[in-house]
Amino acid sequence: MATSTTTLGDPKTCHYDRLTIFFHWATVFLVVGLFALAEIWEFLPKGTPVRRLLQWLHISFGLLFAVVFVLRILWRVSLGRRLPPASSGLMQSAAATVHGVFYLLLAAQIVLGFLFRWAQGEPFTFFGLFSIPTLIPIAHEQRQLLGALHYYVAWTIMVLAAGHALSALFHHYVLRDGVLRRMTSSR
């Protein structure tokens, strides 16, 4: 079981607990995969079986991502290990700001995905196992606006994620401060 707070030891040698690490990397793979699915189907003619399959997978994995995101938040605010900052000053402020913006954008993307699907008036199923009912009726006319917002938030998340990944690599290869290892090993 993870401790709720870790304050002992060198911040450069501390590691997150296994569940925090799992949630981080599950988020990475789901977000990148969801983005890739949406980008790929744009090259396919509308109504084709492959395009519909990619959209169905996007919706199903999007629902899985929503669950992972909620569990990640719950874990983070309850039992997830909290590490001391690995840096200070401007770098620490920038890291905290980027993480806060990430969480807000990911939450907004989930909400936009639900609203967009409900505005489309189409079934919202999880790998064909069950359907999500329309909880908030959305006017069909709003689908273009919601779709555009969903699209631009996705691109914003991907640009921010690329910067986040480059920063992690900078910490690992240039600063050699152990920041990347905090999220790659729980030992």
Side-chain angles (χ1 to χ4, degrees):
M1 181 68 65
T3 58
S4 63
T5 305
T6 300
T7 56
L8 302 174
D10 182 357
K12 295 176 182 176
T13 60
C14 296
H15 293 89
Y16 286 100
D17 58 273
R18 288 182 181 166
L19 198 51
T20 298
I21 292 170
F22 169 78
F23 284 137
H24 175 270
W25 292 107
T27 299
V28 169
F29 289 116
L30 286 166
V31 167
V32 171
L34 288 164
F35 184 81
L37 286 169
E39 289 301 306
I40 291 167
W41 85 54
E42 286 301 319
F43 292 103
L44 301 173
K46 290 185 179 187
T48 60
V50 174
R51 183 181 171 118
R52 284 196 307 270
L53 173 65
L54 294 179
Q55 291 170 332
W56 180 79
L57 287 171
H58 181 86
I59 290 162
S60 295
F61 281 114
L63 289 170
L64 180 61
F65 170 65
V67 170
V68 166
F69 183 75
V70 168
L71 292 174
R72 180 180 182 168
I73 297 292
L74 292 174
W75 179 251
R76 183 175 173 94
V77 300
S78 61
L79 299 173
R81 185 175 298 149
R82 290 171 191 79
L83 300 182
S87 56
S88 60
L90 186 58
M91 283 178 62
Q92 174 56 27
S93 295
T97 300
V98 166
H99 283 100
V101 169
F102 255 134
Y103 278 99
L104 288 173
L105 287 172
L106 292 171
Q109 189 67 335
I110 291 167
V111 170
L112 286 168
F114 275 87
L115 295 176
F116 180 46
R117 192 66 181 174
W118 289 334
Q120 290 174 314
E122 296 180 22
F124 208 150
T125 63
F126 182 72
F127 296 106
L129 299 174
F130 60 87
S131 293
I132 306 294
T134 300
L135 300 177
I136 302 170
I138 306 293
H140 192 69
E141 300 79 38
Q142 297 299 314
R143 75 182 194 286
Q144 282 188 318
L145 172 64
L146 292 167
L149 289 172
H150 193 60
Y151 173 82
Y152 288 116
V153 169
W155 271 100
T156 304
I157 289 169
M158 294 311 293
V159 168
L160 193 60
H164 182 65
L166 289 173
S167 294
L169 293 173
F170 177 78
H171 275 276
H172 188 71
Y173 291 109
V174 176
L175 299 179
R176 299 182 185 272
D177 59 8
V179 169
L180 181 60
R181 282 190 297 278
R182 292 162 54 125
M183 193 52 78
T184 58
S185 172
S186 62
R187 294 183 191 156

